[in-house]
Amino acid sequence: MNVRQPKPIDDCFLKVQDEYLRKELSDKGTVDYRTVKEFRPGIRVWKGDITLLECDAIVNAANERLTGCFVPGHNCIDNCIHTYAGIQLRNECNAIIEGQGHPEPVGKAKMTNSYNLPCKYILHTVGPRITGKPTEKDRGLLRSCYRSCLDLAMEHGLKSIAFCCISTGTYRYPKDEAAEVAVDTIDRFRKDTGYSIDIVFSVFKDDEKELYEKYVSALG
């Protein structure tokens, strides 16, 4: 499903696809974000599959085309989200890019439907690619990714959002520095806006979980 390029598809295929994906989801079981332990009021850290989370929105670490990873079958979060949402997501993302007439800029975000995922929406953001040590510009762009997603959530009245570790995979942002930027940006947003929104930091690995727990626990 993450190999097929964006193009129209007939209703018969979509019916079979959706039945299959919903059965897969039922077999795996979903996770209500509210069952995840809070480290600070409204802030949680969870190690698991973000595509299983029941919340208002999950965040996808996308590329500039928004249409899934450019490496077919690559086991990255971008491909996982596109695969389990269904090909409707790739078509919607392609329509966004065609409509705006240019690739998605780094640090911005777009919102789409979630289709066969248990969340309500998906927020797609393009993180900075790192070569060497992150610069102040890189840190600003990563901060903008988180802030753009939060601004979209506030604009649409969303009350819960699960963030992946933006840019720390193939884009090579150091995990420790990325976690610090993520937690600080969200803390500033909550304080600056007063907007009440539940945050989940969704991670893949134990070292990522430890980093986020460290930074979240240190918040004043």
Side-chain angles (χ1 to χ4, degrees), residues 1 11-30 51-52 54 81-89 113-120:
M1 295 176 193
D11 291 339
C12 180
F13 176 90
L14 291 179
K15 182 176 184 295
V16 173
Q17 174 208 251
D18 292 350
E19 288 177 355
Y20 171 77
L21 290 176
R22 287 165 187 167
K23 177 64 164 56
E24 285 280 298
L25 185 63
S26 176
D27 290 346
K28 292 177 183 178
T30 61
T51 66
L52 301 179
E54 295 180 39
I81 287 174
H82 273 272
T83 294
Y84 293 113
I87 63 170
Q88 300 98 315
L89 177 59
N113 292 310
S114 61
Y115 300 100
N116 291 290
L117 297 181
C119 58
K120 296 177 182 176

Side-chain angles (χ1 to χ4, degrees), residues 116-132:
N116 291 290
L117 297 181
C119 58
K120 296 177 182 176
Y121 302 99
I122 305 168
L123 305 178
H124 307 261
T125 189
V126 183
R129 288 181 170 88
I130 303 301
T131 54

